[in-house]
Amino acid sequence: MEDDNQTVVSEFIFQGLCTSKELQIFLLLPFSTLYVITVVGNLFVVILIITDHHLHSPMYFLLANLSFVDFCLSSVNTPKLITDLVKDIKTISFGGCMSQILCVHFIGGSEMVLLVTMAYDRYVAICRPLHYTSIMDRQKCIWLVLISWIIGFVHGISQLLLIVDLPFCGPRVIDSFFCDIPLVMKLACINTDTLEIVINADSGILAITCFIPLLISYTYILITVQLYSKDGSAKALSTCTSHITVVVLFFGPIIFIYLWPVSISWVDKFLGVFYTVITPFLNPAIYTLRNKDIKNSIKKQINFM
């Protein structure tokens, strides 16, 4: 009888970034521009690395994959965010909401593991340079990238399976611009305290498992560069600084969104925008502006044209 009295929710309503219609219209152009630059910038990095044989090394192979991941991540929520800025009622179907949850955690989990792989590549290059070509061969690089996608997929599926069968019978308003698991769980018709702990533990274990090796790797790299490297220290430090910057930009919002105990609506929205819109936009700029090889490759492409 209880199930018969429940109305199944077929769609959710987003409150969006803000309630001001004027501000939403004002934000339309900046977000549209950011998204176009993000797509063009990341795909440009991928194409540049594929076409320039001077960039056919493990580091740039991994960088190309990171740019592709950022392109995918930005395309999950940003187009919906942009189109919703001109809508009075911002709705998303139940299936679309679950798809957002799956894709965000699938791609986000893949990027976490990929960043660890990039840190491992830099560790081998700087701390074991004589063995670099034998350790980071092409086959191993491909396997490391495949493993990052597999782990991301398992993480995304595990998050989806934990939430997809929850009973949603109203209310159906999500105080955000995308389907974020903590906010969606609040709309369930049952107590989700235990489930919230399990989901946070799932995300937390993956984040910590990736973040600690990253922290150890870059600490060891910086110490090694400081103690032993002289001629190549500037280039090595420049490369590592780019990697560390990307790691901080990626993990910072995630730690606050999923591991911080206090939830503040406007802070969560800002971090959500930063994680899904700003970070994929900044990553190609960080690598291209600080990387001499990529800048030289861009100059050659411009001269050729």
Side-chain angles (χ1 to χ4, degrees):
M1 285 295 294
E2 184 178 350
D3 290 339
D4 294 337
N5 292 331
Q6 290 182 350
T7 303
V8 178
V9 170
S10 60
E11 65 178 16
F12 296 98
I13 299 173
F14 292 140
Q15 285 193 346
L17 288 175
C18 57
T19 56
S20 170
K21 185 66 177 178
E22 292 76 13
L23 182 56
Q24 291 183 65
I25 296 299
F26 174 78
L27 291 174
L28 181 62
L29 180 60
F31 278 118
S32 300
T33 305
L34 278 176
Y35 179 63
V36 171
I37 295 174
T38 299
V39 170
V40 173
N42 281 293
L43 291 181
F44 175 75
V45 171
V46 173
I47 294 170
L48 186 70
I49 292 172
I50 291 173
T51 55
D52 191 337
H53 70 277
H54 293 101
L55 301 179
H56 290 181
S57 67
M59 182 179 77
Y60 294 113
F61 174 75
L62 296 174
L63 176 56
N65 279 276
L66 178 65
S67 293
F68 179 72
V69 169
D70 280 329
F71 158 71
C72 295
L73 182 61
S74 67
S75 298
V76 174
N77 298 327
T78 310
K80 173 67 174 169
L81 166 63
I82 293 169
T83 56
D84 280 349
L85 288 173
V86 296
K87 294 180 180 178
D88 292 326
I89 302 177
K90 311 168 187 9
T91 62
I92 186 171
S93 66
F94 180 83
C97 184
M98 295 301 109
S99 296
Q100 278 193 343
I101 289 172
L102 172 62
C103 291
V104 166
H105 286 270
F106 170 28
I107 299 169
S110 300
E111 182 158 350
M112 285 187 195
V113 182
L114 187 58
L115 288 171
V116 176
T117 302
M118 295 176 74
Y120 175 69
D121 171 73
R122 291 300 84 204
Y123 163 76
V124 176
I126 295 171
C127 301
R128 301 186 64 186
L130 298 178
H131 303 280
Y132 181 73
T133 54
S134 60
I135 295 175
M136 293 300 294
D137 57 59
R138 185 173 183 80
Q139 186 176 8
K140 178 172 284 187
C141 287
I142 293 172
W143 272 109
L144 288 171
V145 170
L146 285 175
I147 288 170
S148 72
W149 282 104
I150 291 169
I151 292 176
F153 180 72
V154 171
H155 171 64
I157 286 293
S158 67
Q159 295 281 290
L160 179 65
L161 292 177
L162 288 170
I163 197 172
V164 70
D165 287 330
L166 287 177
F168 296 98
C169 50
R172 57 196 180 107
V173 178
I174 299 174
D175 188 15
S176 184
F177 62 92
F178 72 105
C179 284
D180 197 11
I181 285 184
L183 297 178
V184 174
M185 280 198 303
K186 290 180 180 179
L187 305 181
C189 302
I190 60 172
N191 185 287
T192 59
D193 290 343
T194 303
L195 182 61
E196 185 175 355
I197 294 172
V198 173
I199 288 177
N200 286 341
D202 184 10
S203 296
I205 288 171
L206 178 61
I208 292 171
T209 302
C210 292
F211 187 71
I212 290 177
L214 282 168
L215 193 63
I216 294 172
S217 297
Y218 285 120
T219 301
Y220 195 87
I221 288 169
L222 293 175
I223 292 173
T224 302
V225 169
Q226 187 70 24
L227 292 178
Y228 302 109
S229 180
K230 294 182 181 179
D231 297 334
S233 60
K235 183 177 180 180
L237 274 175
S238 177
T239 303
C240 287
T241 302
S242 299
H243 285 229
I244 292 169
T245 303
V246 169
V247 168
V248 171
L249 290 175
F250 183 79
F251 277 90
I254 290 177
I255 291 171
F256 276 90
I257 291 172
Y258 293 103
L259 302 180
W260 198 255
V262 179
S263 178
I264 304 173
S265 178
W266 71 267
V267 174
D268 290 342
K269 289 180 183 180
F270 170 78
L271 292 174
V273 169
F274 197 89
Y275 169 62
T276 60
V277 181
I278 306 298
T279 300
F281 162 77
L282 290 175
N283 283 358
I286 291 169
Y287 282 111
T288 54
L289 293 176
R290 298 186 61 89
N291 190 291
K292 185 178 179 181
D293 292 334
I294 290 183
K295 286 191 289 186
N296 289 337
S297 181
I298 293 172
K299 289 177 183 177
K300 284 192 294 183
Q301 294 291 335
I302 293 173
N303 293 334
F304 179 76
M305 295 171 61

